Amino acid sequence: MTPTAVAEPVLRFEDLTVDFRLQSATVHAVRGVSLDVAAGETLAVVGESGSGKTATALSALRLNPEPPCVYAGGRVLFEGRDLLALGERDLGRVRGAAVSMVFQDPMTSLDPLQRVGGQVAEVLRHHRGASRAEAREQALATLDEVGIPDPERRYRQYPHELSGGLRQRVMIAAALVARPRVLIADEPTTALDVTVQRQILDLLVALQRRHGMAVLLITHDLGVVAETADRVAVMHDGEIVEQGEAAAVFDRPADPYTRRLLAATPRLEPTA
């Protein structure tokens, strides 16, 4: 865990409100959420399924489906620019380059018909104008950096030929190859077994320290938060009910919902 950052926030959510307008009703998924994260800092957003945390994260890159999603209020500022107000072309320059995202299930995010190395290299060709040779060289270096063994061989493989842990490392490589300022990780270890979860979390921490990124971590796993986050924001029913230094929130939770979450978290008791 890195020391709490004191720098100006790189990414800021200001009074964000997100609605999903369905035929039968309007769902107020995010209601007046304000958050920020600075370079070198990890902010974890926690809550139950349906609490609004993923809808909040996806708003940073306008990835909620429109329609039915409507950004009904507030701003999402990256280095002072409101991402919700950008046109598609300008927003496309931010996605995957300045702000990147790692999703929960790489099998739904990686193209099953394209070799994994090409998918990592394409980020550099699209965002950095790299030549095919330059993109391949940097993609191989990034696959190696994220701990993929024999990157030359893996570069030529398809997603279905890799284990779940390796696919998630490919997703992380694709998210990091353009050296973003912000990494959003949406439940990045949920689909993995416990041993691989630990490896992926350790990898994210090491990469953040190496590159000084701001990390927005979306999770329901309070154990993950305790080990990786500098600050934590607790969401319930679309709202932030509590936020602060992770240690302080864990030791002295102020909101009843936070206390219930902590009470429901399994703890390993020392054996006699």
Side-chain angles (χ1 to χ4, degrees), residues 87-214:
E88 192 61 33
R89 177 175 295 182
D90 288 336
L91 187 60
R93 296 190 182 103
V94 175
R95 287 182 184 141
V99 182
S100 289
M101 193 158 186
V102 175
F103 298 93
Q104 179 179 148
D105 183 4
M107 282 304 284
T108 62
S109 304
L110 294 172
D111 185 342
L113 303 180
Q114 187 178 0
R115 299 179 197 272
V116 296
Q119 297 186 56
V120 177
E122 179 59 28
V123 178
L124 289 172
R125 299 194 69 197
H126 177 73
H127 287 291
R128 300 290 184 246
S131 68
R132 188 178 298 273
E134 290 169 338
R136 184 180 188 279
E137 180 180 2
Q138 187 57 51
L140 283 168
T142 306
L143 290 174
D144 182 63
E145 182 182 28
V146 301
I148 292 179
D150 195 359
E152 285 273 1
R153 180 168 71 91
R154 301 298 188 184
Y155 188 98
R156 299 188 297 272
Q157 292 184 309
Y158 292 92
H160 74 270
E161 298 181 275
L162 304 181
S163 68
L166 286 179
R167 287 195 295 265
Q168 194 64 299
R169 288 174 187 266
V170 170
M171 279 290 298
I172 293 170
L176 295 184
V177 70
R179 297 294 179 257
R181 298 288 311 282
V182 179
L183 178 68
I184 301 171
D186 184 15
E187 301 277 11
T189 64
T190 299
L192 305 174
D193 65 47
V194 174
T195 301
V196 179
Q197 284 184 22
R198 176 75 270 164
Q199 294 171 355
I200 295 298
L201 289 172
D202 288 346
L203 172 64
L204 288 174
V205 170
L207 291 170
Q208 182 196 41
R209 289 174 175 169
R210 190 175 306 155
H211 300 298
M213 300 175 294

Side-chain angles (χ1 to χ4, degrees), residues 242-265:
E242 182 168 0
Q243 62 178 307
E245 302 293 326
V249 171
F250 275 49
D251 292 342
R252 299 178 299 279
D255 189 84
Y257 177 73
T258 307
R259 292 196 290 270
R260 291 198 300 272
L261 274 183
L262 290 169
T265 302

